Every structure is written in C-alpha cells, then in structure tokens.
Amino acid sequence: VRLDDRAAILALKTAQARLSDLEAALDERHLAVTVVEAEITRVEEEQRFVDKEFERTHVLFQRGLVNETTLEAAERQKMEASFAVDRSKEELKRVISNKARANIALEIGNLEIQARELDLDELTLKSPFNGVLLNFEPKKDPKSGRLKNTLT
C-alpha cells in the first residue's frame, strides 16, 4: 500500500536543493580561506621588504645622509606593514570560523535529507507476505503529525 507521497517527495527535493546550496556556500568559504592565506603571504613579504628598507634608512640616518623625517616615514611604513599582517591574520581566523559554520550547516542539511527520506519511506507499508489489506484507514498521530500504520 502506498499513501499519497507528493508532499514527502517535495520536502525531499527541497532538502536536496538546500543541501546543494549549502555545499556551494562551503566551497565559497573554502575559497575565502585560500584567498586570505594568499593575502597573508603577500603582506608578510611586503613586511619583510619594508623592514629591510627601514634598516637601510636607519643606517643612512645614523650616518647623517637622511633627515629624521625620512626615518619617521620609513618607521611609519614598517608599522603599517605590521598592522596589515595582523589584520590579515585576524581575517583568516574569521573566514576559518565561517567555513566551520558552513560545514556544520552542511551536516545539518545531510541530516535533513535523511529525515525526509525516512518520511517518504514511512508512506509505504511493507508486509512480510503477499496479500490484500481490507478496511485500511491511515491515521495521523496528533502529537507528531506522522501517519500511524494501523490496521482495523
């Protein structure tokens, strides 16, 4: 015996579509992590360059070849490069957290599909032997809203 399964099939297809959306969101988060990791590499390289530039400027200042304003400008660039590295590392922590949340949402989506598949499966009564059901009236459980498999 098969009960009307249109609503259950629709719920399953909706859950599958939602899962596809969650998989795409997880892929986006993975890409964001990759982008931020590349940004960290770039700003760390820039920081190394600025640090070397500051050291050269400092030596020139000690020899009296550049004025204090030039040294202060190099020091400001060094601090800005350091702040850029810190900001990038903070951004990496944020996108890793977002990726973890997207992964959790994906797991929930997988569970939702399993639940919808169970709902769909419950709409088929299975018997260990061949036969015909007489006087079969499906009833809903008032608490859960699910169909009861009762024969009268």
Side-chain angles (χ1 to χ4, degrees):
V1 171
R2 186 160 196 85
L3 303 176
D4 186 8
D5 62 355
R6 291 177 293 176
I9 290 173
L10 181 61
L12 178 60
K13 287 182 179 180
T14 301
Q16 289 169 336
R18 175 78 176 126
L19 184 66
S20 295
D21 182 50
L22 293 171
E23 288 171 343
L26 183 60
D27 288 344
E28 287 176 11
R29 299 307 187 279
H30 181 70
L31 176 62
V33 169
T34 303
V35 167
V36 172
E37 287 172 341
E39 176 68 11
I40 287 173
T41 301
R42 187 190 66 76
V43 294
E44 285 177 337
E45 183 65 32
E46 184 178 333
Q47 183 183 25
R48 284 189 287 278
F49 174 78
V50 169
D51 287 346
K52 289 178 186 177
E53 188 64 30
F54 173 76
E55 293 303 320
R56 283 191 288 268
T57 304
H58 190 263
V59 169
L60 292 174
F61 174 74
Q62 288 175 334
R63 293 182 183 170
L65 299 173
V66 295
N67 60 18
E68 190 173 344
T69 305
T70 305
L71 179 64
E72 288 173 354
E75 189 174 17
R76 186 172 36 257
Q77 286 179 335
K78 181 179 177 181
M79 286 184 356
E80 288 173 2
S82 177
F83 293 152
V85 169
D86 291 343
R87 282 190 303 270
S88 294
K89 288 180 179 179
E90 290 168 1
E91 178 69 9
L92 179 61
K93 289 177 185 176
R94 187 183 67 77
V95 297
I96 287 173
S97 173
N98 287 344
K99 181 182 175 187
R101 286 197 330 258
N103 199 24
I104 291 168
L106 182 64
E107 289 176 23
I108 292 169
N110 279 321
L111 293 173
E112 182 69 22
I113 284 183
Q114 290 174 9
R116 298 300 69 88
E117 287 171 343
L118 285 174
D119 289 346
L120 185 60
D121 192 47
E122 285 181 358
L123 294 176
T124 303
L125 293 177
K126 297 173 185 111
S127 174
F129 52 88
N130 290 333
V132 177
L133 293 175
L134 299 175
N135 300 325
F136 176 75
E137 289 293 326
K139 297 177 184 171
K140 280 193 174 183
D141 181 6
K143 291 181 183 175
S144 69
R146 293 179 177 224
L147 293 177
K148 290 182 181 179
N149 297 332
T150 59
L151 296 174
T152 56

